[in-house]
Amino acid sequence: MVKNLLIIAFLLGAMSCQKAQRDEDTATNTAEDVSVAQAVFSDAYKIIRAVALETKGISSSSTTMASLFGCDDITVDTISNPKKITIDFKYIGCEGLNVARYGRLIGEFYGEFPLENSAVDLSFSNYYFQDYEANGKVRVIFKADNASGNAQHSFYVQSGKVTDDNSDILWTASHVWEVQENGNAETNFVIRGNSNGVNRKGNVFFSEIKSPIQSTSSCVYPVKGSRELEVINLSNRLAVYQSTSCKNEGVVIVNGSSVPFVY
């Protein structure tokens, strides 16, 4: 009798633990967190890219940019190996593209940017995107142009961490970026690939881009695309981005229901 009671207690406890774990995520938690991580690390790379393209000794540029947004300081070291760009947004905040940034972004360059087989490593020093602190490493490796003649490169996030109010988003990504130049100031980025991590509720997730995520050089958030999210002990869900006005928003489709989210 005692043995049976122990078994019943164990089963009830296991069911309670599973329910508690499931209750730690709603329809949108994971979609919000993977979207935040994507925005933080993609924005950091796009910033380094914009500066590198206008920096003598890093790219083929004949001039060197002193500031990207007018409130940051850029330091360039073309003597060391690897060459280095440091963008200091300071600690009073520097706003660009409607986002406040703090701290430093550091890019280390291997080969002439962005020629085939060159690479850049991106790291962070007390760096904040809005209220999110970013840590980890981004590695970008430049590949041959694709069949359409567009530049493409591998984009890896290693040990990525985004911290907000003592809660962490952990993110590792393996993406391919296609760069579509339109002959004007706007550049389109088309992103494909997978990622995984742990959201702020402690739930493990896996993410696969189903419809290529598209963003632009003038917007820090995706304007189009979708990703399928697999969350342990939860139903798979699809996060869809379709913003015509550069907003940090999307829709989650789960179990036949559509739930909007903001991140």
Side-chain angles (χ1 to χ4, degrees):
M1 181 66 176
V2 173
K3 182 178 179 181
N4 289 339
L5 289 174
L6 289 173
I7 292 173
I8 292 171
F10 173 79
L11 291 174
L12 289 173
M15 291 171 64
S16 297
C17 280
Q18 186 179 47
K19 184 177 186 298
Q21 187 176 15
R22 291 174 63 87
D23 288 346
E24 285 196 354
D25 205 329
T26 66
T28 65
N29 286 148
T30 299
E32 292 167 7
D33 287 1
V34 72
S35 300
V36 167
Q38 179 84 63
V40 169
F41 290 107
S42 295
D43 175 70
Y45 167 60
K46 288 193 284 186
I47 286 173
I48 282 288
R49 178 183 183 276
V51 173
L53 288 173
E54 300 295 332
T55 301
K56 183 178 181 179
I58 299 294
S59 66
S60 61
S61 176
S62 60
T63 59
T64 295
M65 180 181 289
S67 177
L68 181 60
F69 298 123
C71 50
D72 54 281
D73 292 330
I74 298 173
T75 303
V76 180
D77 177 2
T78 58
I79 304 300
S80 300
N81 186 20
K83 297 177 181 180
K84 183 185 294 186
I85 290 176
T86 301
I87 307 174
D88 189 351
F89 294 102
K90 309 173 186 179
Y91 294 104
I92 57 174
C94 176
E95 185 171 312
L97 302 178
N98 299 314
V99 171
R101 301 169 185 82
Y102 307 81
R104 295 173 179 168
L105 288 177
I106 302 163
E108 295 181 308
F109 295 83
Y110 302 84
E112 182 179 326
F113 184 91
L115 296 185
E116 183 181 349
N117 295 324
S118 66
V120 56
D121 286 340
L122 177 59
S123 57
F124 308 86
S125 177
N126 296 316
Y127 178 77
Y128 288 80
F129 173 102
Q130 301 284 59
D131 294 325
Y132 297 105
E133 181 181 8
N135 285 287
K137 182 177 180 180
V138 178
R139 163 154 281 207
V140 179
I141 303 173
F142 297 90
K143 306 294 185 180
D145 291 354
N146 62 18
S148 300
N150 294 325
Q152 59 181 359
H153 49 264
S154 300
F155 175 93
Y156 302 105
V157 178
Q158 304 166 354
S159 303
K161 183 168 75 171
V162 179
T163 302
D164 173 33
D165 294 330
N166 297 318
S167 59
D168 297 329
I169 304 167
L170 305 182
W171 199 52
T172 298
S174 178
H175 290 161
V176 174
W177 285 40
E178 178 183 353
V179 182
Q180 299 176 344
E181 303 284 1
N182 296 319
N184 52 34
E186 185 86 325
T187 300
N188 294 329
F189 302 98
V190 180
I191 304 170
R192 301 173 175 87
N194 306 297
S195 65
N196 61 79
V198 181
N199 69 15
R200 281 176 281 188
K201 297 295 185 181
N203 284 358
V204 175
F205 66 84
F206 302 90
S207 169
E208 178 185 1
I209 295 175
K210 303 300 287 185
S211 175
I213 290 177
Q214 300 181 34
S215 64
T216 70
S217 55
S218 62
C219 179
V220 301
Y221 305 111
V223 295
K224 192 176 181 180
S226 66
R227 53 167 35 104
E228 185 176 27
L229 298 170
E230 177 185 346
V231 187
I232 300 300
N233 290 329
L234 292 172
S235 300
N236 285 11
R237 67 271 331 266
L238 189 71
V240 180
Y241 309 98
Q242 201 163 19
S243 174
T244 58
S245 55
C246 189
K247 292 185 178 180
N248 54 330
E249 60 186 18
V251 174
V252 167
I253 301 173
V254 56
N255 294 329
S257 298
S258 297
V259 185
F261 68 93
V262 177
Y263 57 95

